[in-house]
Protein backbone atom coordinates (compact mmCIF):
# COMPACT_ATOMS: atom_id res chain seq x y z
CA UNK A 1 0.00 0.00 0.00
CA UNK A 2 1.46 3.32 -1.08
CA UNK A 3 1.01 5.74 1.79
CA UNK A 4 0.85 9.49 1.98
CA UNK A 5 0.95 10.69 5.55
CA UNK A 6 -0.09 14.02 6.96
CA UNK A 7 -0.69 15.25 10.48
CA UNK A 8 -4.44 15.76 10.72
CA UNK A 9 -4.11 18.79 12.99
CA UNK A 10 -5.70 21.11 13.57
CA UNK A 11 -2.71 23.36 13.14
CA UNK A 12 -3.46 26.73 14.66
CA UNK A 13 -1.39 29.80 13.77
CA UNK A 14 -1.99 33.49 14.42
CA UNK A 15 -2.73 35.81 11.54
CA UNK A 16 0.46 37.00 9.88
CA UNK A 17 2.53 34.01 10.98
CA UNK A 18 4.05 31.27 8.84
CA UNK A 19 2.09 28.03 8.61
CA UNK A 20 4.15 24.91 7.93
CA UNK A 21 2.43 21.82 6.60
CA UNK A 22 4.24 18.52 6.18
CA UNK A 23 3.74 15.36 4.20
CA UNK A 24 5.68 12.11 3.86
CA UNK A 25 5.20 9.42 1.26
CA UNK A 26 6.25 5.81 1.00
CA UNK A 27 6.62 5.27 -2.75
CA UNK A 28 10.17 6.18 -3.78
CA UNK A 29 9.17 6.12 -7.42
CA UNK A 30 6.85 9.09 -7.00
CA UNK A 31 7.56 11.86 -9.44
CA UNK A 32 4.87 14.51 -9.07
CA UNK A 33 3.79 16.23 -5.90
CA UNK A 34 0.86 18.54 -5.27
CA UNK A 35 -0.75 20.60 -2.59
CA UNK A 36 -4.49 21.17 -2.73
CA UNK A 37 -6.61 23.38 -0.51
CA UNK A 38 -10.11 22.26 0.38
CA UNK A 39 -12.66 24.41 2.14
CA UNK A 40 -15.43 22.66 4.02
CA UNK A 41 -18.08 21.36 1.65
CA UNK A 42 -16.07 22.30 -1.44
CA UNK A 43 -13.85 20.40 -3.82
CA UNK A 44 -10.05 20.63 -3.75
CA UNK A 45 -8.27 23.52 -5.39
CA UNK A 46 -4.75 23.13 -6.71
CA UNK A 47 -2.27 25.44 -4.97
CA UNK A 48 1.15 24.15 -5.89
CA UNK A 49 2.85 21.48 -7.93
CA UNK A 50 6.49 20.48 -7.53
CA UNK A 51 8.51 17.93 -9.43
CA UNK A 52 12.17 18.36 -8.45
CA UNK A 53 14.08 18.67 -5.22
CA UNK A 54 14.27 22.08 -3.63
CA UNK A 55 11.93 24.98 -3.13
CA UNK A 56 9.28 26.42 -5.38
CA UNK A 57 7.67 29.73 -4.52
CA UNK A 58 4.39 31.18 -5.72
CA UNK A 59 3.24 34.29 -3.92
CA UNK A 60 2.79 33.52 -0.23
CA UNK A 61 3.19 29.80 -0.83
CA UNK A 62 6.43 27.81 -0.93
CA UNK A 63 6.56 24.10 -1.63
CA UNK A 64 9.63 22.15 -0.59
CA UNK A 65 10.55 18.69 -1.86
CA UNK A 66 13.20 16.29 -0.58
CA UNK A 67 13.00 13.02 -2.47
CA UNK A 68 15.81 11.40 -0.48
CA UNK A 69 13.81 11.91 2.71
CA UNK A 70 10.48 11.30 0.92
CA UNK A 71 9.20 14.53 2.32
CA UNK A 72 7.25 17.43 0.88
CA UNK A 73 6.10 20.52 2.72
CA UNK A 74 4.08 23.67 2.17
CA UNK A 75 4.85 26.98 3.81
CA UNK A 76 2.26 29.73 3.90
CA UNK A 77 3.68 33.14 4.74
CA UNK A 78 1.65 35.97 6.21
CA UNK A 79 -1.20 33.58 6.99
CA UNK A 80 -4.69 35.01 6.68
CA UNK A 81 -7.96 33.80 8.19
CA UNK A 82 -9.07 32.99 4.64
CA UNK A 83 -6.28 30.40 4.53
CA UNK A 84 -8.17 28.35 7.11
CA UNK A 85 -8.95 25.11 5.30
CA UNK A 86 -7.81 21.53 4.94
CA UNK A 87 -4.63 21.10 2.94
CA UNK A 88 -4.24 17.88 1.00
CA UNK A 89 -0.92 16.49 -0.12
CA UNK A 90 -1.07 14.37 -3.27
CA UNK A 91 1.62 12.23 -4.85
CA UNK A 92 1.82 10.22 -8.05
CA UNK A 93 3.88 8.52 -10.66
CA UNK A 94 3.67 10.12 -14.04
CA UNK A 95 0.43 9.14 -15.73
CA UNK A 96 -1.16 7.55 -12.69
CA UNK A 97 -3.95 8.73 -10.44
CA UNK A 98 -3.18 10.94 -7.47
CA UNK A 99 -2.68 9.34 -4.09
CA UNK A 100 -3.98 11.71 -1.41
CA UNK A 101 -3.10 12.11 2.22
CA UNK A 102 -5.88 12.60 4.72
CA UNK A 103 -5.19 16.30 4.94
CA UNK A 104 -4.12 18.77 7.60
CA UNK A 105 -6.66 21.19 9.00
CA UNK A 106 -5.26 24.71 9.29
CA UNK A 107 -6.85 27.38 11.45
CA UNK A 108 -5.58 30.94 11.20
CA UNK A 109 -6.77 33.00 14.13
CA UNK A 110 -7.23 36.79 13.87
CA UNK B 1 -6.09 26.70 -14.64
CA UNK B 2 -8.41 24.45 -16.55
CA UNK B 3 -12.10 24.47 -15.67
CA UNK B 4 -14.14 21.39 -14.83
CA UNK B 5 -17.87 21.52 -14.16
CA UNK B 6 -20.20 19.02 -12.53
CA UNK B 7 -23.93 18.67 -12.62
CA UNK B 8 -25.94 18.52 -10.49
CA UNK B 9 -24.26 20.17 -7.52
CA UNK B 10 -26.54 18.33 -5.16
CA UNK B 11 -29.21 15.67 -5.42
CA UNK B 12 -31.60 13.99 -3.02
CA UNK B 13 -33.16 10.74 -4.08
CA UNK B 14 -35.10 7.82 -2.68
CA UNK B 15 -33.46 4.52 -1.94
CA UNK B 16 -33.46 2.24 -4.97
CA UNK B 17 -33.36 4.94 -7.61
CA UNK B 18 -30.50 5.71 -9.97
CA UNK B 19 -28.66 9.00 -10.14
CA UNK B 20 -26.50 10.30 -12.97
CA UNK B 21 -23.72 12.83 -12.39
CA UNK B 22 -22.06 14.65 -15.26
CA UNK B 23 -18.49 15.91 -15.37
CA UNK B 24 -17.38 18.26 -18.13
CA UNK B 25 -14.07 19.81 -19.05
CA UNK B 26 -15.00 23.26 -20.30
CA UNK B 27 -11.89 24.65 -21.93
CA UNK B 28 -9.81 21.60 -22.74
CA UNK B 29 -10.17 18.06 -23.97
CA UNK B 30 -9.68 15.53 -21.22
CA UNK B 31 -8.60 12.09 -22.35
CA UNK B 32 -8.55 10.99 -18.71
CA UNK B 33 -11.01 11.81 -15.98
CA UNK B 34 -11.16 10.53 -12.42
CA UNK B 35 -14.03 9.95 -10.04
CA UNK B 36 -13.58 10.32 -6.30
CA UNK B 37 -15.81 9.91 -3.31
CA UNK B 38 -15.38 11.73 -0.03
CA UNK B 39 -17.15 10.91 3.21
CA UNK B 40 -17.33 13.51 6.00
CA UNK B 41 -13.98 14.31 7.58
CA UNK B 42 -12.19 11.84 5.33
CA UNK B 43 -9.90 12.28 2.39
CA UNK B 44 -10.70 11.70 -1.23
CA UNK B 45 -10.92 8.09 -2.26
CA UNK B 46 -10.39 7.27 -5.91
CA UNK B 47 -13.25 5.23 -7.32
CA UNK B 48 -12.26 4.86 -10.95
CA UNK B 49 -10.20 6.19 -13.79
CA UNK B 50 -12.11 6.98 -16.94
CA UNK B 51 -10.45 7.06 -20.34
CA UNK B 52 -12.26 8.41 -23.36
CA UNK B 53 -13.53 5.66 -25.61
CA UNK B 54 -12.63 2.77 -23.34
CA UNK B 55 -13.90 1.04 -20.22
CA UNK B 56 -13.21 2.64 -16.89
CA UNK B 57 -10.68 1.15 -14.50
CA UNK B 58 -12.18 0.67 -11.06
CA UNK B 59 -10.33 0.67 -7.78
CA UNK B 60 -10.44 -2.38 -5.58
CA UNK B 61 -13.67 -2.57 -3.63
CA UNK B 62 -15.67 -0.34 -5.99
CA UNK B 63 -18.54 -2.20 -7.63
CA UNK B 64 -18.45 -1.50 -11.35
CA UNK B 65 -22.04 -2.65 -11.82
CA UNK B 66 -23.22 -0.21 -9.20
CA UNK B 67 -21.14 2.78 -10.26
CA UNK B 68 -21.43 2.98 -14.03
CA UNK B 69 -18.94 5.27 -15.72
CA UNK B 70 -19.17 6.42 -19.30
CA UNK B 71 -16.58 8.64 -21.01
CA UNK B 72 -18.08 8.96 -24.45
CA UNK B 73 -16.41 12.20 -25.48
CA UNK B 74 -13.28 14.16 -24.73
CA UNK B 75 -15.23 16.66 -22.63
CA UNK B 76 -17.81 14.54 -20.82
CA UNK B 77 -17.75 11.70 -18.34
CA UNK B 78 -20.77 10.47 -16.43
CA UNK B 79 -21.12 8.50 -13.22
CA UNK B 80 -24.40 6.68 -12.63
CA UNK B 81 -25.09 5.39 -9.15
CA UNK B 82 -27.52 2.55 -9.72
CA UNK B 83 -30.03 1.44 -7.09
CA UNK B 84 -28.69 3.97 -4.64
CA UNK B 85 -28.89 3.28 -0.92
CA UNK B 86 -28.29 5.52 2.10
CA UNK B 87 -24.72 4.26 2.44
CA UNK B 88 -24.02 5.73 -1.00
CA UNK B 89 -24.68 9.21 0.37
CA UNK B 90 -21.43 11.07 -0.12
CA UNK B 91 -19.65 13.89 -1.89
CA UNK B 92 -18.72 12.77 -5.40
CA UNK B 93 -15.99 14.72 -7.15
CA UNK B 94 -14.59 14.35 -10.63
CA UNK B 95 -11.29 15.59 -11.89
CA UNK B 96 -9.68 15.86 -15.27
CA UNK B 97 -6.17 15.97 -16.58
CA UNK B 98 -5.34 18.53 -19.23
CA UNK B 99 -2.98 16.82 -21.68
CA UNK B 100 -1.59 20.24 -22.65
CA UNK B 101 -0.96 21.20 -19.05
CA UNK B 102 1.72 20.28 -16.55
CA UNK B 103 2.44 16.64 -15.97
CA UNK B 104 -0.09 14.91 -13.74
CA UNK B 105 -1.94 18.05 -12.71
CA UNK B 106 -5.60 17.35 -12.09
CA UNK B 107 -8.35 19.93 -11.94
CA UNK B 108 -11.38 19.18 -9.86
CA UNK B 109 -15.02 19.83 -10.51
CA UNK B 110 -17.07 21.49 -7.77
CA UNK B 111 -18.49 18.17 -6.60
CA UNK B 112 -21.95 16.63 -6.28
CA UNK B 113 -23.45 16.00 -2.88
CA UNK B 114 -25.67 12.93 -3.01
CA UNK B 115 -28.16 12.21 -0.27
CA UNK B 116 -30.10 8.97 -0.45
CA UNK B 117 -33.15 8.79 1.77
Amino acid sequence: QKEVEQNSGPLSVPEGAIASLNCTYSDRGSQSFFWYRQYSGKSPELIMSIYSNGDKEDGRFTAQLNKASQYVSLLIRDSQPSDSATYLCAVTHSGYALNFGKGTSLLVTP
Amino acid sequence: GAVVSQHPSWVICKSGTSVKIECRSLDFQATTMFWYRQFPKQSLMLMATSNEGSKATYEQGVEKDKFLINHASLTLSTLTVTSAHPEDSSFYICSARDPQGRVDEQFFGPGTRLTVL
Side-chain angles (χ1 to χ4, degrees):
Chain A
Q1 180 72 17
K2 299 173 183 175
E3 301 286 344
V4 178
E5 300 286 345
Q6 293 181 255
N7 189 320
S8 62
L11 173 65
S12 183
V13 300
E15 183 175 357
I18 296 175
S20 177
L21 305 164
N22 304 315
C23 172
T24 59
Y25 59 95
S26 62
D27 185 359
R28 283 197 171 274
S30 300
Q31 298 173 312
S32 305
F33 307 85
F34 305 92
W35 284 98
Y36 286 85
R37 177 175 62 196
Q38 186 175 27
Y39 292 110
S40 180
K42 303 295 185 181
S43 69
E45 171 193 10
L46 179 64
I47 297 176
M48 294 284 286
S49 58
I50 187 166
Y51 302 94
S52 55
N53 283 328
D55 295 0
K56 178 182 177 183
E57 186 175 320
D58 184 0
R60 295 187 296 113
F61 299 98
T62 299
Q64 299 174 317
L65 175 61
N66 184 325
K67 290 185 178 181
S69 300
Q70 295 175 243
Y71 175 92
V72 58
S73 66
L74 179 71
L75 300 178
I76 306 175
R77 289 181 299 281
D78 188 24
S79 295
Q80 301 297 309
S82 59
D83 294 325
S84 298
T86 296
Y87 289 80
L88 301 170
C89 172
V91 173
T92 188
H93 285 282
S94 178
Y96 286 83
L98 295 176
N99 188 11
F100 283 90
K102 293 185 176 181
T104 297
S105 175
L106 173 66
L107 177 63
V108 181
T109 55
Chain B
V3 180
V4 177
S5 70
Q6 265 183 261
H7 178 81
S9 56
W10 59 270
V11 58
I12 301 173
C13 69
K14 292 183 178 180
S15 184
T17 60
S18 294
V19 174
K20 179 185 283 189
I21 302 170
E22 293 185 348
C23 177
R24 295 182 184 272
S25 56
L26 297 185
D27 52 359
F28 66 100
Q29 293 184 324
T31 53
T32 304
M33 290 183 170
F34 303 88
W35 287 95
Y36 294 84
R37 180 167 54 180
Q38 187 176 35
F39 293 106
K41 299 191 183 302
Q42 295 187 25
S43 191
L44 282 75
M45 296 301 297
L46 179 67
M47 299 176 67
T49 301
S50 169
N51 292 300
E52 186 267 339
S54 63
K55 290 184 178 180
T57 302
Y58 290 82
E59 294 299 298
Q60 190 174 9
V62 178
E63 300 174 58
K64 62 181 181 180
D65 294 331
K66 180 172 183 62
F67 298 99
L68 302 179
I69 292 172
N70 184 287
H71 193 162
S73 79
L74 286 171
T75 60
L76 174 64
S77 176
T78 60
L79 167 67
T80 301
V81 184
T82 62
S83 187
H85 288 92
E87 58 266 29
D88 299 322
S89 298
S90 188
F91 191 42
Y92 291 85
I93 313 172
C94 72
S95 70
R97 185 174 285 159
D98 180 357
Q100 304 301 321
R102 292 187 174 189
V103 174
D104 294 324
E105 277 189 355
Q106 289 184 28
F107 298 94
F108 285 85
T112 297
R113 189 161 302 282
L114 170 64
T115 302
V116 185
L117 302 177

